Amino acid sequence: MSVTFNTDVLSIILYFLRYNKQTLYSCLFVNRLWCQLTIPILWRDPWTFFYRIENNSPPSIPTQPLKLINTYLSLLPIESIIELQKNGINVPIHSIEPSFNYPMYLRGLDLNYLYKSIIRWIYDKYNEKLSIHPLQKAVSRLKKFGKKVTGRDDSIETIDDEDKLKNEQILLIYSKLLSFFFKESPKLSLIRIKPKKNDIMFSNLINSNEAKKCLSYLTGLECVDDHKMEETYAHLALSNTNIYQIMIHGYQNTKSLANLLSVQKKLQKLYFVNINNISPYVYWTTPGVGLELQKKAHFIIKLKLEGSCGFLELLKDFINLEEFSLRCVHKNSCNDRIPLKAPTLRNLKKLEFEYEHKYEINFIANLIRNTRQLTKIIIKGSRISDPNNCNLLLDSIKNYCLQLKICSIPISIINPRLISLLESCKNIQRLSLFSIPSENQININYCDNFLVQILESEPVSLHTLELINCSFSVEVWEKFLEAQYISKKSISYLWMKHNFQPSEEFLKNCSTYKRLGMLKTFENINLYRACLSPKFYLRID
């Protein structure tokens, strides 16, 4: 029996899957309607699906960026394709027009990723050309060897000429695609900019009427506070006053970026990345970017810091904050920059801390005490400088977070009060416990009581449980899994090899439990989630 969906309802369902590429790709093949509704979602911000692109990746990895550039090039106007071919760029001309005009759906543009993808595309074509003619390649090498023997080596000049030609081709493709995007996309909602030489070309292109119209709808900007971008920010300030989310890398105090921020009327989401070598108060009070942001601090409802622990000192200025995230992957401790007194943020609903260096639980526990509406708490990182305060953290959560739904916390005591936590926070749906064992606890089953307390409390809402670095006896573990399997809970068991290693017997049992469907996964993680999580980057809401 076929099932039909209301088109509007189906569109909403697919939209909520916008960051799940595999699922969306499967939806393309259901039928024509599903395909027509899925394509605009897949192509609204295609860079997010393969956001990380490393220059030293093996040739087999970057197939997705190459396909992306191939698709966009095939859609260029015929006159642009002919111009590219005249400049030695092999762009095939298709006899059949594509089913969709993909640039029309573009709402997010990542200039850095676009530029890197074009570089890979050019070098892939160049290597492909060499591999097609191995005899010519061998002859060329023999000629170069002969010139070296006779003292007439001009290989350096040849390489320089080749690199110069490649760079010219890269910039030509870059300019053609940008012009094409500005022409075809009715509006761009988000743009990510990094200070590269290619962005000088972008500064020139955005002065066109098509670019001005397209970028006038901009609501999100990821940028670098760099003087090289003065002209770009000056152009954006003339036509953009509705940016509500911005990510800033660096702190050169660019005047035009400060002017761009000053004219924004709806700024609500602020991200800082790697602003760590300047005093927060100097940044906050010096005329320029920091001061303009300080003026808008009470409008900010979402704040994210990456590698910028010092800005914890400024939390008290964000009085209406609803979401706060801090991710610091620096090896060196930033504790000397953490304020002694936690601010009061009554509207805070989501709180996330991810550390690779040492950090204090006491500050986080006191911050939680000063809130009343938290529904999400994520604390990740094993290098705790005050593990005895884990009990204080539990008390703060159970007393002040009665609406909590998602909880990830470290546990460093033998008998934590998990029962009281689960009884107070009855709405917890996802719980992650990270055990921080002391030296005398490594070889004993000190975490059995975790499982016993969860079994006794019988949390009704809990459906996902993650246990990290925990030492369990096989008997208690098996009893626990059988009970949770009946209640259909999803259980994951993880450990960090440099901190803890389960016994072979225990791992064999885990393998059996996984085959039986009682355990979702069990695996070693080299570093905790702070190192595994993707970097912050802006998304289209």
Side-chain angles (χ1 to χ4, degrees):
M1 181 179 69
S2 62
V3 180
T4 58
F5 284 94
N6 178 280
T7 303
D8 293 335
V9 174
L10 181 58
S11 297
I12 295 173
I13 294 173
L14 293 173
Y15 179 77
F16 279 102
L17 297 171
R18 61 191 180 278
Y19 300 119
N20 190 330
K21 182 188 175 185
Q22 290 183 337
T23 302
L24 286 175
Y25 187 75
S26 299
C27 293
L28 292 174
F29 302 99
V30 175
N31 56 40
R32 182 183 295 272
L33 174 62
W34 282 57
C35 180
Q36 291 174 341
L37 295 176
T38 303
I39 285 293
I41 299 174
L42 271 171
W43 288 86
R44 66 200 302 266
D45 192 7
W47 331 98
T48 60
F49 293 124
F50 19 83
Y51 189 73
R52 291 180 180 178
I53 179 170
E54 304 297 337
N55 291 325
N56 56 355
S57 297
S60 58
I61 290 179
T63 55
Q64 296 283 17
L66 298 180
K67 291 178 180 178
L68 184 66
I69 298 302
N70 262 329
T71 301
Y72 280 138
L73 287 177
S74 67
L75 292 166
L76 285 173
I78 188 64
E79 58 271 15
S80 296
I81 292 178
I82 293 174
E83 184 180 349
L84 292 176
Q85 289 179 336
K86 286 181 178 179
N87 283 274
I89 303 170
N90 184 21
V91 180
I93 301 177
H94 300 286
S95 57
I96 302 176
E97 290 188 7
S99 302
F100 299 95
N101 182 12
Y102 300 108
M104 182 177 68
Y105 308 119
L106 194 64
R107 299 295 179 271
L109 179 59
D110 190 315
L111 298 181
N112 191 42
Y113 195 92
L114 172 63
Y115 188 70
K116 286 183 176 181
S117 299
I118 294 172
I119 291 175
R120 288 199 167 183
W121 188 89
I122 285 290
Y123 277 82
D124 181 73
K125 290 294 181 182
Y126 178 75
N127 293 333
E128 184 181 89
K129 183 178 180 181
L130 289 180
S131 63
I132 294 174
H133 306 286
L135 183 59
Q136 292 181 8
K137 188 175 180 181
V139 171
S140 176
R141 287 180 175 176
L142 285 173
K143 287 181 178 179
K144 288 181 180 180
F145 178 73
K147 289 178 180 179
K148 285 183 179 180
V149 172
T150 59
R152 295 182 294 107
D153 184 11
D154 61 350
S155 59
I156 296 177
E157 288 77 7
T158 303
I159 293 173
D160 289 342
D161 290 342
E162 288 178 356
D163 289 341
K164 183 178 179 181
L165 176 61
K166 289 175 187 175
N167 288 333
E168 290 174 353
Q169 292 176 340
I170 290 167
L171 291 175
L172 181 59
I173 294 175
Y174 184 78
S175 64
K176 292 297 180 185
L177 287 180
L178 280 180
S179 298
F180 187 49
F181 293 156
F182 291 146
K183 180 180 179 181
E184 296 297 324
S185 176
K187 63 178 181 180
L188 281 174
S189 301
L190 169 65
I191 191 164
R192 307 182 187 95
I193 305 175
K194 296 289 181 68
K196 303 283 185 180
K197 61 182 180 180
N198 51 292
D199 292 323
I200 298 174
M201 181 176 294
F202 175 75
S203 299
N204 297 329
L205 288 172
I206 63 173
N207 203 26
S208 67
N209 292 330
E210 290 175 342
K212 288 179 179 178
K213 181 179 179 181
C214 182
L215 294 172
S216 64
Y217 298 94
L218 207 62
T219 58
L221 174 65
E222 180 177 345
C223 63
V224 179
D225 189 1
D226 192 299
H227 295 297
K228 297 177 183 177
M229 305 303 298
E230 287 273 12
E231 189 176 349
T232 297
Y233 301 144
H235 284 308
L236 292 176
L238 296 176
S239 57
N240 296 88
T241 60
N242 296 318
I243 294 176
Y244 75 90
Q245 60 171 340
I246 187 167
M247 176 184 285
I248 299 176
H249 301 250
Y251 53 93
Q252 290 190 18
N253 204 14
T254 309
K255 182 178 180 181
S256 61
L257 179 57
N259 293 337
L260 175 61
L261 291 169
S262 68
V263 300
Q264 302 311 313
K265 302 176 181 178
K266 300 181 179 180
L267 190 61
Q268 292 184 323
K269 300 181 181 181
L270 178 60
Y271 303 67
F272 284 132
V273 179
N274 293 330
I275 307 180
N276 49 32
N277 294 324
I278 185 173
S279 166
Y281 286 109
V282 170
Y283 182 78
W284 218 229
T285 56
T286 302
V289 175
L291 184 59
E292 292 301 330
L293 291 172
Q294 191 266 345
K295 294 176 183 178
K296 299 180 184 296
H298 59 288
F299 294 113
I300 303 298
I301 62 173
K302 185 174 183 177
L303 176 65
K304 286 191 175 185
L305 308 176
E306 182 172 340
S308 306
C309 286
F311 280 77
L312 282 173
E313 297 179 34
L314 304 178
L315 266 184
K316 58 182 178 58
D317 291 340
F318 297 88
I319 58 176
N320 293 312
L321 206 60
E322 296 179 7
E323 298 181 35
F324 175 66
S325 299
L326 171 62
R327 180 176 185 270
C328 194
V329 296
H330 294 148
K331 297 287 185 180
N332 298 326
S333 177
C334 299
N335 285 350
D336 57 335
R337 303 289 292 275
I338 295 179
L340 297 176
K341 184 178 180 181
T344 299
L345 303 172
R346 297 296 186 186
N347 297 329
L348 198 64
K349 296 181 177 65
K350 297 180 181 180
L351 179 64
E352 297 183 42
F353 283 90
E354 297 186 43
Y355 288 101
E356 189 170 339
H357 60 64
K358 286 186 177 181
Y359 66 101
E360 291 184 3
I361 285 292
N362 184 59
F363 174 81
I364 300 175
N366 289 331
L367 180 60
I368 292 172
R369 284 174 176 270
N370 293 339
T371 65
R372 291 292 185 273
Q373 303 184 53
L374 281 173
T375 60
K376 179 180 180 180
I377 296 176
I378 304 292
I379 303 169
K380 296 178 178 179
S382 60
R383 301 176 63 188
I384 302 174
S385 58
D386 57 340
N388 293 332
N389 282 326
C390 284
N391 213 12
L392 176 63
L393 176 66
L394 277 174
D395 290 339
S396 298
I397 293 174
K398 75 176 185 179
N399 291 327
Y400 299 99
C401 306
L402 302 182
Q403 304 303 317
L404 195 63
K405 295 182 179 180
I406 300 174
C407 182
S408 176
I409 54 174
I411 301 289
S412 68
I413 45 183
I414 294 179
N415 190 28
R417 295 189 285 270
L418 289 177
I419 288 182
S420 59
L421 171 68
L422 294 172
E423 288 178 350
S424 298
C425 307
K426 297 181 179 180
N427 296 320
I428 290 183
Q429 300 171 0
R430 301 177 62 183
L431 177 63
S432 178
L433 301 175
F434 182 87
S435 175
I436 312 292
S438 60
E439 292 182 0
N440 62 345
Q441 294 174 342
I442 291 292
N443 297 317
I444 62 174
N445 300 318
Y446 63 94
C447 294
D448 280 359
N449 64 84
F450 292 7
L451 305 182
V452 173
Q453 291 187 63
I454 293 173
L455 284 174
E456 290 180 0
S457 61
E458 297 181 348
V460 177
S461 299
L462 186 65
H463 59 69
T464 302
L465 178 64
E466 189 177 65
L467 301 163
I468 305 162
N469 262 24
C470 296
S471 174
F472 304 122
S473 63
V474 174
E475 296 78 16
V476 174
W477 180 233
E478 185 173 7
K479 179 181 177 181
F480 177 79
L481 287 177
E482 289 175 352
Q484 302 310 309
Y485 181 68
I486 295 173
S487 61
K488 302 299 180 183
K489 287 184 174 59
S490 174
I491 313 293
S492 298
Y493 180 75
L494 308 170
W495 69 96
M496 298 166 61
K497 194 172 183 178
H498 65 281
N499 276 349
F500 172 77
Q501 179 62 42
S503 66
E504 291 295 327
E505 179 188 4
F506 186 83
L507 292 179
K508 287 181 180 178
N509 278 275
C510 284
S511 180
T512 302
Y513 302 148
K514 185 177 180 180
R515 286 198 304 270
L516 295 174
M518 300 164 65
L519 185 65
K520 179 182 178 182
T521 186
F522 69 101
E523 60 181 322
N524 168 49
I525 50 177
N526 293 327
L527 295 173
Y528 194 34
R529 298 300 189 192
C531 307
L532 297 177
S533 300
K535 292 182 178 180
F536 289 154
Y537 65 95
L538 292 189
R539 290 181 171 182
I540 305 172
D541 292 337

